[in-house]
Amino acid sequence: MGNQVPEKKYLAVLPIENISENPELQAICNGLAEMFSYKLSELEQYQDSYWVTPASEMRRERVASVTQANELFGVNLAISSSIQTLQDSTRLILELVDADNIRRLDTEQVMVSSENLTALEREGVKAVLRMLQIEINPQMDKSLTEGKTVNGEAYELYLKGLSALQGNGNGVNLEQAITFFTEAANIDSEFALVYARLGEAYWRMYETTGNVELVTKAEKVLQKALDIDAQLAPVQTLLGILKSGTGEQEEAITHFSQAIEIDPTYNSAYSGMARAFEQQGNSDKAISTYLRAVNLKPDYWAGYKDLGVYYLNKGDIPEAITQFQKVVELTPKNGTAYSNLGVAYYYNGQYVQARQMFERSLALDKDPLTANNLAGIYYWEGSYREAADMYEIALAGYSDRYEIWGNLAAAYELSGQHQEARKTYFMAIEKALAQLEVNAEAPDVVADLGAYYSDIGDTTQALTYIERALTLNSDNLRVRQRAVSTYEKLGMREQALGWIDVTMLSDIESQPELSNLVEDPRYLDRKEELALPEK
């Protein structure tokens, strides 16, 4: 081939264009793009200097062009493709594009019977590998068919389910996904991946609605997938995510470990296992797990992002900033990267830099969570009405996020809307309690409940929850911050002072509800004591 494919292959699979006159084919295009991304990423374990941007990240950033993929994720190659129907056949046209220079390197066509779309996926992936100049070994060839179905009708329903599953956070789309996956499973009861995706759809529906009955349904179908084929990394990982989400961390770690044994490069398993160790309070194992993922793919931004989020939660803000700066360096047009860096700057007391990062993020992507972050800056500046406006925007996208309800309540309170504040705190409590029905051992949620109860003047419940949170994980920065604010709100300043450490000083001094504590000579003594070098 005349065009040289780079030795380092960082790949994005773009949405597949439907160039037929059949609008129903769009769902097939969406689902097939997802499968291409998944199957090509499975092959990372057999290749050095090769990774595929997860389809979930492509959707999150609404990437539709080679230029976007290059700017947002630092890829140097992209797969651009289209599908059309010709009588009883379906044709897939694939192009390999140099993402740095926006030029076509190679092209291939795959033609199959419209009744046999399973062959379109397999032959399409093989065509991509030929263009990438990657030789298919027997192990790779075997992985292309694992967990699949040979039934064309079941596979078509599966692709439609994947398309519906891409409606991130949309309950209607998730219901459609559940319907398609269920119908596919009814046709082929040995289709492992369809049960796995059905479990994912149930779990995501739970996360969207808070309906705890969906957790049991998710577990049942994921166990079915496991019974059919325990050698699929996504099945083990999804079970790990569910077990971790319900507080069963040891079982979760077992599933994540098995996923990594199956596929040593499966990034979702590393991040899931690290979070499970984090929930156990095992910092050393959490960090070592994140670092394993980073070392596997040192030019891949997601590992640094996950590690940065961990350091942020742990309270090691300078280290979080370092990791997020690396993400920005690797993906300089990624709005989420700037938003995460802005959060770290905020917690480090660098409010000007934080605002700059949030504004850069919003300029790239009008994301509700970024609006939520910018609301935090307005809050710090004392612009409480503006902060409330931003929190309301955030809730339009994330109405089940109890933390945003709590933040909105605080903004209402400080802007003088006391009645609205009280109603909103009750909503935050209701949403948080629903989360505890699934995982009663989540320290952040328990601590937040303690703070909310103190805000509405329920001393008994406030003390019950904050003390329980401290028992669960007193190393957690958020838990300690909530302990300070809860005890202060209840008039228990000695207890509040006792939980202050040096990583919390900037945040404490930025909170208007803690202004009286900050002026207390005992706080100044504590601050001076924390600033003293260790002997």
Side-chain angles (χ1 to χ4, degrees):
M1 187 175 68
N3 291 308
Q4 184 63 41
V5 177
E7 184 177 347
K8 292 184 176 181
K9 301 175 176 68
Y10 306 146
L11 185 68
V13 178
L14 297 174
I16 299 175
E17 184 182 2
N18 176 14
I19 59 173
S20 73
E21 296 181 357
N22 179 7
E24 292 185 6
L25 197 60
Q26 187 57 51
I28 303 299
C29 291
N30 297 342
L32 197 60
E34 184 96 5
M35 286 306 297
F36 281 158
S37 180
Y38 161 56
K39 284 297 180 183
L40 288 166
S41 67
E42 268 195 317
L43 306 179
E44 291 175 9
Q45 60 187 303
Y46 307 113
Q47 293 289 314
D48 294 327
S49 300
Y50 166 83
W51 50 256
V52 181
T53 301
S56 59
E57 294 293 338
M58 296 284 287
R59 288 196 304 277
R60 191 196 316 275
E61 300 292 345
R62 296 184 288 278
V63 173
S65 71
V66 176
T67 299
Q68 281 179 292
N70 175 260
E71 291 178 343
L72 290 172
F73 302 122
V75 302
N76 61 355
L77 295 167
I79 299 297
S80 177
S81 53
S82 61
I83 287 180
Q84 67 180 145
T85 51
L86 304 168
Q87 296 179 337
D88 294 330
S89 298
T90 298
R91 180 169 68 181
L92 171 68
I93 304 170
L94 295 154
E95 290 187 351
L96 178 66
V97 181
D98 174 346
D100 289 325
N101 301 298
I102 316 299
R103 62 189 181 94
R104 186 175 66 188
L105 296 177
D106 201 358
T107 184
E108 290 227 10
Q109 292 189 28
V110 176
M111 184 88 79
V112 301
S113 164
S114 296
E115 301 296 317
N116 187 22
L117 293 180
T118 56
L120 195 62
E121 176 197 317
R122 179 180 172 83
E123 296 307 314
V125 171
K126 285 186 173 182
V128 170
L129 293 177
R130 285 194 296 272
M131 290 191 293
L132 290 171
Q133 300 176 356
I134 294 176
E135 186 176 345
I136 304 174
N137 63 37
Q139 283 179 302
M140 294 164 66
D141 190 55
K142 179 174 179 288
S143 74
L144 294 179
T145 58
E146 287 179 336
K148 287 180 57 179
T149 181
V150 294
N151 185 292
E153 186 181 358
Y155 183 71
E156 187 169 333
L157 286 164
Y158 176 66
L159 292 181
K160 289 179 178 178
L162 287 180
S163 177
L165 197 60
Q166 293 172 16
N168 194 20
N170 186 315
V172 175
N173 284 347
L174 290 171
E175 286 177 2
Q176 291 174 346
I178 289 168
T179 299
F180 286 128
F181 291 141
T182 301
E183 290 177 3
N186 288 338
I187 293 171
D188 184 354
S189 61
E190 296 301 308
F191 189 176
L193 281 177
V194 83
Y195 286 105
R197 291 296 197 166
L198 180 56
E200 180 184 356
Y202 278 134
W203 180 255
R204 284 175 53 185
M205 180 66 93
Y206 153 70
E207 291 183 317
T208 299
T209 66
N211 182 350
V212 297
E213 293 178 2
L214 294 166
V215 178
T216 303
K217 290 184 177 181
E219 188 166 19
K220 182 179 178 180
V221 293
L222 286 172
Q223 186 60 50
K224 173 72 172 175
L226 190 71
D227 292 341
I228 296 170
D229 191 347
Q231 293 303 305
L232 292 172
V235 172
Q236 295 285 1
T237 300
L238 286 166
L239 266 167
I241 289 169
L242 184 145
K243 293 295 183 182
S244 183
T246 56
E248 301 167 85
Q249 305 305 336
E250 281 300 329
E251 284 192 56
I253 290 165
T254 298
H255 285 296
F256 291 132
S257 298
Q258 288 170 338
I260 290 168
E261 188 175 332
I262 296 164
D263 182 351
T265 63
Y266 200 60
N267 192 69
S268 296
Y270 286 103
S271 57
M273 185 159 68
R275 285 193 293 270
F277 282 130
E278 183 180 355
Q279 288 293 316
Q280 288 184 324
N282 193 330
S283 297
D284 290 343
K285 285 191 175 180
I287 291 172
S288 67
T289 304
Y290 283 124
L291 286 173
R292 282 173 66 190
V294 167
N295 292 333
L296 276 169
K297 304 175 191 175
D299 294 328
Y300 182 45
W301 53 269
Y304 299 99
K305 182 200 75 173
D306 291 340
L307 185 54
V309 170
Y310 173 77
Y311 280 124
L312 192 69
N313 290 335
K314 186 172 179 285
D316 190 343
I317 311 303
E319 192 58 53
I321 290 172
T322 298
Q323 301 303 325
F324 290 142
Q325 284 174 334
K326 183 67 175 177
V327 180
V328 167
E329 177 187 329
L330 291 170
T331 59
K333 296 293 181 69
N334 189 321
T336 303
Y338 288 103
S339 184
N340 288 337
L341 182 54
V343 171
Y345 279 136
Y346 177 82
Y347 279 118
N348 207 42
Q350 296 173 263
Y351 302 116
V352 173
Q353 292 91 330
R355 182 169 189 160
Q356 289 172 346
M357 292 302 104
F358 293 144
E359 288 172 347
R360 289 187 71 173
S361 178
L362 281 171
L364 292 164
D365 182 14
K366 304 297 183 185
D367 183 73
L369 284 182
T370 305
N372 181 58
N373 292 333
L374 190 54
I377 296 292
Y378 288 140
Y379 189 95
W380 168 73
E381 291 177 338
S383 303
Y384 302 120
R385 182 60 258 177
E386 289 80 2
D389 290 341
M390 296 302 287
Y391 285 131
E392 287 168 358
I393 292 171
L395 279 175
Y398 298 95
S399 61
D400 288 307
R401 290 287 298 273
Y402 77 86
E403 311 99 307
I404 301 177
W405 285 102
N407 292 338
L408 176 59
Y412 281 149
E413 183 73 35
L414 289 163
S415 62
Q417 298 174 266
H418 304 298
Q419 189 173 353
E420 280 297 312
R422 187 170 180 83
K423 286 194 299 185
T424 308
Y425 274 127
F426 275 112
M427 183 63 77
I429 289 169
E430 178 185 322
K431 298 286 186 182
L433 287 172
Q435 298 306 308
L436 286 190
E437 290 182 26
V438 175
N439 183 2
E441 304 298 304
D444 288 5
V445 183
V446 176
D448 288 340
L449 275 165
Y452 298 153
Y453 276 117
S454 73
D455 287 314
I456 62 171
D458 191 333
T459 301
T460 301
Q461 291 281 47
L463 287 175
T464 298
Y465 279 101
I466 201 61
E467 288 169 5
R468 181 172 151 206
L470 289 166
T471 300
L472 285 170
N473 190 351
S474 61
D475 288 334
N476 184 296
L477 175 64
R478 187 183 182 95
V479 170
R480 296 197 307 271
Q481 288 173 330
R482 286 307 203 183
V484 172
S485 61
T486 300
Y487 285 128
E488 174 66 11
K489 191 86 173 184
L490 296 176
M492 303 169 67
R493 186 161 294 171
E494 283 295 339
Q495 288 88 335
L497 289 165
W499 284 105
I500 294 173
D501 66 32
V502 71
T503 64
M504 300 161 62
L505 296 177
S506 294
D507 183 69
I508 286 171
E509 292 176 8
S510 71
Q511 300 301 322
E513 62 267 31
L514 298 178
S515 58
N516 289 335
L517 180 146
V518 170
E519 293 170 0
D520 191 314
R522 290 171 294 177
Y523 171 79
L524 300 175
D525 290 342
R526 176 69 172 152
K527 183 177 179 179
E528 185 177 346
E529 174 189 330
L530 292 169
L532 291 174
E534 294 183 6
K535 293 182 179 180

